[in-house]
Amino acid sequence: MDKGINHTDFELQYLLAGIFVLLNAAISWLVFAHYSMRPLEKKLREINKDNLSDWDGPGWRVATYAIKLVLPPHIWGNYTMFLDPYLLHKLATSADTKRAVWFWLSWLTAIAMAIGFTLFIE
């Protein structure tokens, strides 16, 4: 008699799903950085408004551009540190915004799965 999925099978499936989610997040990071952030920085340099391209922690510049595109500019105010969100929204295309949403959703999902793994998987 089949008792359904056992605990070990669930752990393996969760781990495989987590690997897929983490791989998706890494790909979203690279795609957003190459196809959205770099062209936006080029546009900012052309109008002499690039305050951020020389600075980078461990990839935080990518996350900064993405979060400024995901959230409405009025949340940040007129002039926030490093990057004007109103100007960024003006220069960004709809594809840039979609890539930023993909970036943040995939990383938030990866973080949630990692927390779930540590809390619920033995």
Side-chain angles (χ1 to χ4, degrees), residues 16-84:
L16 291 174
I19 290 170
F20 172 77
V21 167
L22 192 57
L23 186 60
N24 177 55
I27 291 169
S28 75
W29 190 295
L30 295 172
V31 168
F32 180 78
H34 185 74
Y35 293 107
S36 292
M37 186 187 75
R38 288 180 60 195
L40 285 168
E41 285 182 336
K42 184 178 178 185
K43 290 176 187 176
L44 288 168
R45 264 187 245 109
E46 288 173 357
I47 59 172
N48 204 23
K49 297 285 186 178
D50 180 21
N51 304 344
L52 192 58
S53 65
D54 292 334
W55 173 85
D56 200 4
W60 291 112
R61 195 171 88 225
V62 178
T64 301
Y65 274 89
I67 196 68
K68 297 276 175 106
L69 286 176
V70 169
L71 297 176
H74 70 272
I75 287 175
W76 303 104
N78 286 334
Y79 299 100
T80 58
M81 192 163 88
F82 298 122
L83 193 57
D84 179 0

Side-chain angles (χ1 to χ4, degrees), residues 90-105:
K90 184 178 172 185
L91 297 175
T93 65
S94 64
D96 294 332
T97 304
K98 289 175 187 172
R99 283 188 282 265
V101 169
W102 174 36
F103 171 88
W104 276 105
L105 286 178

